[in-house]
Amino acid sequence: MQTGEDITALRKILDMTRLFSLFVLAIHFYICLYPAFAGWNWTAGITDRIVGNIARTGLFNSLMKPKLFALLLLGISLVGVKGRKEEKIDVKKQSIYISCGLLLYLLNGLAFYCSAVNTVAVLYMLMAVSGYLLILTGGVRLSRLLKVKLDKDVFNKENETFPQQEELLENEYSVNLPTEYNLKGRVRKGWINFINPFRGLLVSGTPGAGKSYFVIRHVITQHIKKGFTMFLYDFKYDDLTRIAYNTLLNNLSAYPVRPKFFVINFDDLSRSHRCNPLDPADMEDISDATEASRTIMLGLNRDWIKKQGDFFVESPINFLTAVIWYLKKYRDGRYCTLPHVIELMQRDYKELFEVIRMEKEIEVLINPFVSAFQNNATDQLEGQIASAKIGLARLSSPQLYYVLSGNDFTLDVNNPKEPKVICVGNNPAKLQTYGAVLSLYISRAIKLVNRKHQRKCSLVFDEFPTIFFNSIDSLIATARSNKVATTLGIQDFSQLKKDYGRDQAEVIMNIVGNIVSGQVTGDTAKQLSERIGKIVQERQSVSINSDDTSTSKSSQLDFAVPAAKISALSSGEFVGMVADDPDNPVELKSFHARVINDHAALKLEEDSYRPMPVIKEVNEDMVEAAYQKIKREVADLVADELTKQKKVQEAMGVQHADHQQEEPAVKKRNSKKSSKPWSA
C-alpha cells in the first residue's frame, strides 16, 4: 500500500534523474564546445579539472554517447510520472512533438558544418535543448493519457455475448437452423436445434422480421422431408402452400403410404377442394356440436372471447348448437353442413321452432327460446338469437357454400391409412369473413388429429391470432404424447392478448417449450429477456483526481439479451430458447444468432416450383347452382317437417274427436245398466 512518504520519495528520485540527465547534457556541451566557451570567458581552472576527471570515464569520448545517455535518463524520469489523467489527449499530436524533438536532438551535429565557432556552438546547443524540451513536453503529456478505454464497446455488445450450441443435434423429428453468432468479438458458426417440436414452437416478430422466410418455411420443408403429415394455415395464400406442395412432390418416398395433398381456398375455386367441416360421421355427441358452434360464433365475434359465460354470449352459441345437432340427427346427417345451418337459422321463428322441437335431444337447449317466443318476449329473443343470425348471415356467400358443402376429403390428417397434407388459405382483405370458417376447419381437424396410434403430424399456423381455436393450450399440453408438433406464428404478445384475452394469451406464451423471436418491443421483449436469463458480465469504472487515477473491475449477473437489444434486432436475427428431452439433452438452450439462409439457392428453388394445379374447372353457374340447391333443400326440409307435423296433429285430432263421440254412448249404456236395479 502506498503512503504519502513513498510518493514523495519517488518524485524526488524522478526529479533527480531528470536533473542528472541535464547535467550530463551540460558537461557534453562544455567538452565538445570548449573553444566557444573559452572565447566567451565561461571557463575556469577548477571547472576544467572537474570536467577533465569526469571525461576520463569514457562517457564523453564521442558526440552520441552522452546525448543517448541523457535521453535514457529523461525516458526513465518520464516513465514514473503520475499526473492528473485526461481522456482527450491527442496521441497523434504528442507523437509529432516527440518525433520532431528526436530529430533536433540527434541531428544537431549538423551544426558543425558551419564555419564560425560561435555560430556552431549556439546552433548546436539550441537544437539539442529544443529537441530535449519537445521530447519532455510530449512525454509528459502522453503520461497523462488515460489508458483505460471505457468507450471501446459503447453498446456493450461483446460483454453481452455468450456461448451457444455449435453442434448439429438431429433426430427424426427435429428442425435445425444453421446460424452464426458473436462471441467476444469473434463470429462463430452454430445451430438452433429444435429437437423436440412436440413441446410447441412459438415464432414471434414484427412484420418484416423474417418469421416465415427464416423459420416457418424450414419447419414446413424439414418436417415434410421427415415424413410428417401436415395441417398448414397459410394467412397470405399461397406463399407457404406452394412451398409445402413442391416439397411434398419431391419427398413422397419419405412416407410409407403415399400422402394426398388438399387445399381449401375460397378465392380460386378451381384450385380448391371441397370439405364439410361439420361432417356428421366425425361428430360423436352433442359436445362436438357445441365446440363447433363456439368456434364459429367466437370467430365471427372476436370481442366475445373475453365475455365467455355471459348470457347474451352463451345463448346464441347454445341455439346454434341445437340447429347443428338437429341437422346431424335429421336423416342421418344428410344436410349437416354449415350452409344448411345458416339457411335454416334464417327461417321464421315459428317455423324454425316447430321444426327443431321434433328432436328430443336438443329440447333442453331450445326450451328458453321457445318459452320466450310463446310469451311474446320478442326483445329477449332477438337479443339471444339475432346476434347469431346476423353473424352467420355474413357467411351467406355462393363461394363459401360451394366449398363448405362438398366432401372431397376428411380432416383426419394423420390417419395412417390415408395420410394427408392439408393447406387452408386465408385472404387478409377478407379476414373477418374467412377467419371464422377456417377456424372451424382447424378446430375440427385438431380434434381428429389429437388421437393415439396415428402418424406424426405437424400443425403450422402462420399469423395465429387471425383465427380462433379455444383449446390451443390444451392441444400443446396433451398432443406431445401423440406426436403432434404445433408451430404458432405471431407478431407480438399484445396482438395475442387483443384477440384471445390476457389469460389465454399468457397461458399460450408460458406453455410453449421452444420459442424463437425476431424484433419485438414492449412486454414481449421484456418477457423474452427474462426467459433467456442472465449471464456474468464484467463492469469497469475509473476514478480520476488531481493526484492519481484508480481503476476498479467487478463482475455481476445481468440480462444476456436486454429488452432494448431485442427491440433492435435486424431481419433474420433471432433470440430464444429451445427445449430438449431426456434422450437428447441440450446444455446451451439459449441463443442470440443470425439464421443463415442460402438466398441464391432458395431463389433458384422457388423459381423451379410448380404452380398450384387446377383441381376442377369451376364456373359461376356451378357455384350458383350449388347455392340455390342448398336453399331449396332447406326450404323442402322445413316444408316436409311442417307437413308431417300437421298430419300428425290432424291424426291426433281425429282420434280425439272419435274419443269425444264414443264417451256419451258409453255413458248412456252405463246409465241403462245402472237403472235396471231401480226398476226392479
Side-chain angles (χ1 to χ4, degrees):
M1 181 177 180
Q2 289 185 349
T3 64
E5 294 178 358
D6 296 334
I7 296 174
T8 303
L10 178 62
R11 286 179 178 174
K12 288 181 178 180
I13 293 171
L14 295 175
D15 291 342
M16 185 177 295
T17 304
R18 194 174 303 161
L19 287 173
F20 190 58
S21 168
L22 292 172
F23 176 74
V24 171
L25 194 61
I27 296 297
H28 170 66
F29 289 158
Y30 189 83
I31 293 174
C32 69
L33 301 175
Y34 187 81
F37 279 91
W40 297 334
N41 294 322
W42 287 2
T43 60
I46 188 171
T47 305
D48 293 342
R49 288 194 296 271
I50 294 173
V51 171
N53 291 331
I54 295 174
R56 293 190 186 97
T57 60
L59 180 62
F60 301 95
N61 293 340
S62 67
L63 292 177
M64 292 302 296
K65 259 186 190 180
K67 288 196 296 183
L68 292 176
F69 186 68
L71 187 63
L72 176 63
L73 293 176
L74 176 62
I76 293 173
S77 69
L78 291 175
V79 169
V81 172
K82 288 188 176 181
R84 184 174 61 87
K85 302 295 182 181
E86 297 181 22
E87 296 182 60
K88 298 182 179 180
I89 295 292
D90 190 345
V91 178
K92 185 177 180 180
K93 182 178 179 181
Q94 308 314 317
S95 300
I96 293 174
Y97 282 169
I98 294 174
S99 300
C100 293
L102 286 172
L103 288 174
L104 289 173
Y105 184 79
L106 297 176
L107 299 179
N108 64 342
L110 297 175
F112 287 105
Y113 287 97
C114 296
S115 56
V117 175
N118 291 339
T119 304
V120 170
V122 172
L123 190 60
Y124 186 84
M125 289 189 294
L126 183 62
M127 290 178 66
V129 172
S130 300
Y132 188 93
L133 292 176
L134 285 173
I135 294 171
L136 178 62
T137 302
V140 171
R141 295 287 293 174
L142 283 179
S143 69
R144 295 184 179 184
L145 177 65
L146 183 62
K147 299 179 179 63
V148 181
K149 295 294 184 180
L150 295 179
D151 58 348
K152 184 178 180 181
D153 187 10
V154 178
F155 297 104
N156 201 32
K157 288 184 178 180
E158 292 186 9
N159 213 14
E160 290 171 350
T161 61
F162 52 92
Q164 301 177 36
Q165 187 68 43
E166 297 184 359
E167 182 184 357
L168 173 62
L169 304 176
E170 191 173 11
N171 57 31
E172 59 177 318
Y173 312 116
S174 66
V175 176
N176 307 95
L177 306 177
T179 64
E180 62 180 22
Y181 71 99
N182 187 299
L183 181 61
K184 301 300 181 183
R186 296 179 59 189
V187 177
R188 302 179 66 93
K189 301 292 183 181
W191 287 89
I192 301 175
N193 302 297
F194 300 112
I195 60 174
N196 192 351
F198 305 119
R199 294 177 65 176
L201 171 59
L202 183 68
V203 186
S204 62
T206 55
K211 300 188 299 295
S212 300
Y213 182 68
F214 288 96
V215 181
I216 294 179
R217 71 172 298 150
H218 294 296
V219 174
I220 296 171
T221 56
Q222 294 186 32
H223 273 175
I224 291 179
K225 289 176 181 178
K226 293 181 178 181
F228 275 73
T229 58
M230 183 171 290
F231 188 97
L232 170 63
Y233 169 64
D234 189 357
F235 176 64
K236 292 177 287 188
Y237 179 86
D238 61 346
D239 292 351
L240 299 178
T241 303
R242 284 190 302 110
I243 296 174
Y245 175 67
N246 285 274
T247 305
L248 181 63
L249 290 180
N250 297 327
N251 295 276
L252 292 173
S253 59
Y255 297 82
V257 178
R258 187 185 179 97
K260 295 182 179 179
F261 187 84
F262 297 101
V263 178
I264 295 295
N265 170 30
F266 300 115
D267 291 327
D268 187 357
L269 300 183
S270 297
R271 289 179 169 83
S272 174
H273 293 88
R274 304 172 68 192
C275 180
N276 176 19
L278 297 180
D279 189 353
D282 295 331
M283 287 197 290
E284 300 174 356
D285 53 45
I286 199 169
S287 63
D288 294 328
T290 303
E291 183 181 350
S293 173
R294 185 174 298 276
T295 301
I296 296 170
M297 296 312 302
L298 297 184
L300 288 170
N301 306 276
R302 302 303 291 271
D303 56 321
W304 287 8
I305 297 174
K306 304 171 187 176
K307 303 177 183 178
Q308 295 186 64
D310 289 358
F311 175 76
F312 288 104
V313 171
E314 297 299 326
S315 292
I317 292 175
N318 286 349
F319 189 75
L320 180 56
T321 301
V323 176
I324 293 174
W325 193 248
Y326 170 80
L327 290 177
K328 196 278 182 187
K329 303 296 289 185
Y330 181 77
R331 295 189 182 180
D332 296 328
R334 180 179 179 181
Y335 300 133
C336 188
T337 71
L338 185 58
H340 288 87
V341 170
I342 296 171
E343 290 299 322
L344 184 58
M345 286 193 66
Q346 304 305 319
R347 306 293 296 190
D348 183 68
Y349 287 141
K350 182 178 179 181
E351 294 179 346
L352 181 58
F353 289 147
E354 288 182 359
V355 170
I356 64 176
R357 285 181 67 186
M358 299 179 70
E359 179 55 51
K360 298 301 181 184
E361 290 187 32
I362 60 176
E363 188 172 356
V364 176
L365 292 174
I366 64 171
N367 268 341
F369 308 104
V370 174
S371 298
F373 178 71
Q374 291 176 344
N375 295 326
N376 294 323
T378 308
D379 294 340
Q380 176 185 333
L381 189 62
E382 288 294 334
Q384 290 176 286
I385 300 178
S387 55
K389 295 176 67 174
I390 293 171
L392 289 172
R394 296 204 301 266
L395 305 180
S396 181
S397 161
Q399 290 81 8
L400 291 175
Y401 277 23
Y402 178 79
V403 175
L404 292 168
S405 59
N407 198 20
D408 293 342
F409 65 94
T410 56
L411 294 170
D412 51 344
V413 181
N414 55 350
N415 187 340
K417 298 179 180 179
E418 297 180 1
K420 305 177 184 70
V421 173
I422 300 176
C423 299
V424 294
N426 205 339
N427 184 344
K430 302 178 181 179
L431 176 61
Q432 196 68 23
T433 302
Y434 292 171
V437 178
L438 297 177
S439 298
L440 179 60
Y441 275 114
I442 293 169
S443 175
R444 299 302 302 156
I446 288 174
K447 184 175 180 61
L448 298 174
V449 162
N450 194 13
R451 297 181 297 180
K452 294 185 178 297
H453 311 301
Q454 306 294 304
R455 281 197 59 79
K456 55 187 178 183
C457 179
S458 181
L459 307 176
V460 182
F461 305 109
D462 183 28
E463 301 296 344
F464 176 70
T466 59
I467 55 174
F468 173 76
F469 174 51
N470 197 40
S471 302
I472 187 65
D473 51 343
S474 63
L475 169 70
I476 298 172
T478 61
R480 180 175 55 86
S481 59
N482 295 328
K483 294 293 184 286
V484 178
T486 307
T487 302
L488 307 179
I490 67 172
Q491 292 186 5
D492 192 82
F493 180 47
S494 58
Q495 181 193 32
L496 199 60
K497 286 193 294 185
K498 179 179 73 70
D499 292 317
Y500 275 80
R502 173 177 290 274
D503 294 339
Q504 193 163 358
E506 289 181 350
V507 171
I508 294 172
M509 288 286 290
N510 295 331
I511 205 172
V512 173
N514 301 285
I515 185 166
V516 52
S517 175
Q519 181 190 29
V520 289
T521 59
D523 290 341
T524 312
K526 293 178 182 177
Q527 285 193 18
L528 287 171
S529 179
E530 293 173 357
R531 186 163 182 167
I532 294 171
K534 298 182 178 182
I535 58 174
V536 176
Q537 299 184 23
E538 293 184 353
R539 292 288 182 266
Q540 191 173 7
S541 62
V542 176
S543 176
I544 303 174
N545 54 42
S546 59
D547 296 327
D548 199 1
T549 301
S550 62
T551 304
S552 63
K553 292 184 178 181
S554 63
S555 61
Q556 64 183 37
L557 281 174
D558 207 346
F559 289 111
V561 188
K565 181 168 288 188
I566 299 176
S567 302
L569 293 177
S570 302
S571 179
E573 190 177 359
F574 295 91
V575 300
M577 182 174 287
V578 302
D580 59 4
D581 56 42
D583 298 329
N584 297 284
V586 178
E587 182 180 359
L588 302 174
K589 297 182 175 66
S590 301
F591 60 87
H592 172 203
R594 181 182 299 277
V595 176
I596 304 302
N597 270 0
D598 190 342
H599 305 296
L602 290 176
K603 182 67 168 59
L604 289 174
E605 182 181 334
E606 290 180 359
D607 291 341
S608 65
Y609 279 170
R610 302 182 192 177
M612 300 304 298
V614 175
I615 299 165
K616 180 182 178 181
E617 291 292 347
V618 179
N619 54 44
E620 293 184 3
D621 294 337
M622 296 171 62
V623 176
E624 185 64 26
Y627 181 66
Q628 296 300 331
K629 179 184 177 184
I630 292 171
K631 287 182 171 292
R632 287 196 306 271
E633 288 174 345
V634 172
D636 293 343
L637 181 153
V638 173
D640 291 346
E641 290 300 302
L642 291 178
T643 302
K644 186 187 300 183
Q645 190 172 6
K646 184 176 180 181
K647 289 180 179 179
V648 171
Q649 290 175 351
E650 289 177 352
M652 292 179 64
V654 171
Q655 291 178 1
H656 183 65
D658 293 342
H659 181 68
Q660 287 181 337
Q661 291 178 2
E662 183 179 333
E663 188 174 352
V666 173
K667 287 182 178 180
K668 186 176 182 181
R669 288 196 300 270
N670 290 338
S671 62
K672 289 182 180 180
K673 290 179 181 179
S674 61
S675 63
K676 287 181 180 179
W678 288 101
S679 60

